[in-house]
Amino acid sequence: MSFSLIGTGSAYPARRVTNDELARLVDTSDEWIRARTGVYERRVLTDESLEDIACAAALRALEDAGVAPRELDLIVCATIRNDYITPSLACLLQKRLGAGCMSMDINAACSGFLYALDVADGYFARGRIKKALVVAAEAMSKMVDWTDRATCVLFGDGAGAAVLSEGNDLLSLRVTASGNAEHLGIPNIEGECPFSLRAGKPQHVYMNGQEVYKFAVNALCRELEAIIDAAGVRQEDIAFVLPHQANTRIIDAAAGKLRIGAEKYLSNIERFGNTSAASIPILMDECRRKNMFHPGDLLALSAFGGGFTTGACVLRWCKQS
Ligand code: UT7
């Protein structure tokens, strides 16, 4: 027994920040950002909390699925940075939704949504749960260095959610990790221990863009090939690919190497930037609400990110539009 995905939801802050606004903060331009990344604007948290948008996405997914919070057996949140180190975002949501189930966060950076699906899949396989809520929510704006043009133009805030029930619509799923803090990372607070001999580091995203770019193109291609193969289907059978929204050029470069038509790669990066773990579930929810998916469609999801991590799966869409 695995799962079927029976509801989706998404939410994001009200505040749009355009490339032109960023060009007033750092030495950049709308032209450079569009050409190098595909991003036109992103959403940024102002007076909302991460919990607010995570909760709004979760409620939309629950409504879409016709599932009440009390029916949930598991909540898994994927996030790099909850507002609290403890309690977890999942525990905060559990209280706010009025659910009563076990709840936990996982951090697999931009691959977090796929890792969370994998965690939920294990509980379904062991017969421990009948309904699960997976929420990916990120507050990247709290972690970027707003004086660093090489990173601050890339990211945005947002949340996406999915409700899962017992079923057999997950055809294959694979997650990987290869530890690397050299090329991409965000240091945590060092603390104030009087015995510590370590100096704290700035708590900002640091990235070697070109190294991450190479890793990303390879990972996207390799994992899509592997996961489609593991599902026992052909690349031509995939109805849509939902790639992590990090950079249009990464998606285009990977698409050029596979036998899946370019028109099948979905994207909304122009309006959201890179929302880390939330990017795939936000994209999925948008497309689902535009009735783009039909029962029986095979969707291939593929993410890569900090860690380095990757996550990919093939799902059969089971909902009527
Ligand atoms: O979610 C996973 C994590 N992240 C990613 O997947 C990101 C992967 N990397 C990338 O997407 C790309 O490497 C970037 C978009 C980050 C950068 O694009 P690039 O084509 O690799 O640019 P670059 O780093 O080679 O920089 C080219 C030039 C440099 O100037 P010089 O040295 O040629 O004079 C940069 O200083 O562009 C400059 N530059 C900028 N110029 C204007 C870097 N950022 C900016 C900027 N505006 N925002």
Side-chain angles (χ1 to χ4, degrees), residues 32-308:
W32 191 96
I33 302 170
R34 284 185 192 223
R36 297 289 181 121
T37 70
V39 182
Y40 296 10
E41 61 180 33
R42 70 285 297 139
R43 299 298 181 109
V44 172
L45 289 161
T46 54
D47 58 348
E48 313 95 334
S49 66
L50 182 67
E51 189 187 330
D52 290 337
I53 57 169
C55 188
L59 284 169
R60 282 177 196 142
L62 288 164
E63 188 190 8
D64 187 36
V67 168
R70 281 273 153 206
E71 292 177 67
L72 293 171
D73 304 306
L74 169 70
I75 300 174
V76 189
C77 287
T79 189
I80 299 174
R81 182 196 186 280
N82 181 22
D83 285 344
Y84 292 83
I85 290 174
T86 188
S88 65
L89 179 60
C91 284
L92 297 173
L93 278 190
Q94 188 236 38
K95 175 163 173 33
R96 213 150 129 178
L97 295 170
C101 56
M102 59 181 158
S103 304
M104 68 176 113
D105 284 2
I106 58 155
N107 176 352
C110 305
S111 311
F113 182 65
L114 275 298
Y115 265 74
L117 290 181
D118 195 36
V119 168
D121 183 40
Y123 281 97
F124 282 111
R126 287 182 283 131
R128 291 274 308 278
I129 61 171
K130 292 187 185 314
K131 297 267 187 310
L133 171 67
V134 172
V135 182
E138 301 283 24
M140 299 307 294
S141 63
K142 300 190 184 196
M143 294 175 282
V144 295
D145 176 353
W146 288 97
T147 65
D148 176 16
R149 67 177 184 173
T151 50
C152 76
V153 302
L154 303 174
F155 297 99
D157 301 334
V163 176
L164 314 176
S165 74
E166 285 178 304
N168 285 310
D169 291 311
L170 177 69
L171 304 193
S172 56
L173 193 157
R174 178 177 138 105
V175 291
T176 73
S178 70
N180 181 327
E182 188 188 341
H183 297 317
L184 176 59
I186 310 169
N188 205 340
I189 49 171
E190 190 59 39
E192 292 160 10
C193 171
F195 307 106
S196 173
L197 300 176
R198 290 164 54 96
K201 294 182 188 154
Q203 291 144 44
H204 292 146
V205 176
Y206 63 84
M207 183 171 73
N208 178 334
Q210 291 182 359
E211 286 299 327
V212 178
Y213 187 95
K214 278 187 262 171
F215 156 73
V217 173
N218 282 333
L220 195 51
C221 254
R222 185 189 64 229
E223 295 305 314
L224 276 172
E225 264 179 342
I227 207 65
I228 294 168
D229 206 36
V233 298
R234 295 172 309 157
Q235 293 182 17
E236 295 83 341
D237 297 330
I238 298 297
F240 294 105
V241 179
L242 287 83
H244 171 46
Q245 303 291 294
N247 186 327
T248 304
R249 285 160 53 217
I250 293 174
I251 299 171
D252 292 346
K257 298 182 182 187
L258 296 170
R259 296 187 309 281
I260 304 175
E263 73 289 353
K264 293 184 176 178
Y265 288 78
L266 303 178
S267 179
N268 60 6
I269 191 171
E270 68 281 3
R271 284 175 292 116
F272 294 105
N274 179 348
T275 56
S276 183
S279 86
I280 289 178
I282 292 175
L283 179 64
M284 181 184 281
D285 184 52
E286 282 207 333
C287 297
R288 183 251 178 297
R289 283 170 200 271
K290 287 184 200 154
N291 293 325
M292 289 171 61
F293 306 145
H294 299 100
D297 277 355
L298 297 182
L299 308 185
L301 282 49
S302 187
F304 51 83
F308 291 147

